[in-house]
């Protein structure tokens, strides 16, 4: 899935797991004339405030105690001006295909 727009509300949080491992969670909003989507990733990425281009993402749904939780996980950003790509470094081993 993808959306073309501008990144805003970029928030980088440091998270420490119960095992003591540290992660950086990056979350941001991508907006255009029709819609806004909140994206996030636990992988290292370099999306900044005001970055524009085509953002690709995956929709993830998880269940816990018979409740459903969904998230939009950021994958890549392709900028409109230079056609360069910014990737989220991640492991795709949990993909269903």
């Amino acid at each position: 899935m993808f959306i073309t727009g501008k990144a805003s509300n970029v928030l980088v949080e440091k998270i420490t797991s119960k095992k003591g491992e540290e992660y950086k969670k990056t979350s941001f909003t991508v907006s255009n004339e029709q819609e806004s989507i909140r994206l996030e990733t636990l992988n290292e990425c370099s999306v900044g405030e005001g970055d524009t281009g085509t953002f690709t993402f995956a929709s993830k749904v998880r269940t816990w105690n018979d409740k459903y939780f969904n998230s939009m996980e950021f994958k890549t950003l392709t900028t409109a001006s230079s056609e360069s790509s910014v990737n989220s470094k991640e492991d795709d081993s949990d993909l269903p295909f």
Side-chain angles (χ1 to χ4, degrees):
M1 302 170 90
F2 66 91
I3 181 174
T4 300
K6 183 177 182 178
S8 62
N9 303 323
V10 178
L11 177 64
V12 179
E13 300 175 78
K14 280 192 174 184
I15 300 172
T16 305
S17 70
K18 291 180 182 178
K19 294 181 180 180
E21 298 171 345
E22 288 190 3
Y23 299 96
K24 282 187 181 178
K25 176 183 175 184
T26 305
S27 58
F28 54 94
T29 303
V30 178
S31 303
N32 60 26
E33 299 83 34
Q34 293 99 14
E35 60 189 333
S36 291
I37 295 180
R38 186 81 178 156
L39 300 178
E40 59 186 31
T41 184
L42 290 176
N43 304 303
E44 191 154 335
C45 72
S46 59
V47 173
E49 191 80 26
D51 285 352
T52 58
T54 301
F55 297 80
T56 57
F57 60 94
S59 175
K60 292 195 171 199
V61 179
R62 293 184 173 85
T63 58
W64 183 71
N65 289 340
D66 294 328
K67 294 181 182 178
Y68 292 93
F69 297 90
N70 61 0
S71 64
M72 304 296 185
E73 185 175 357
F74 168 71
K75 299 289 186 181
T76 62
L77 164 63
T78 304
T79 59
S81 61
S82 65
E83 292 300 319
S84 64
S85 184
V86 175
N87 293 320
S88 171
K89 299 174 186 169
E90 67 179 71
D91 179 20
D92 287 337
S93 62
D94 65 336
L95 291 177
F97 47 87

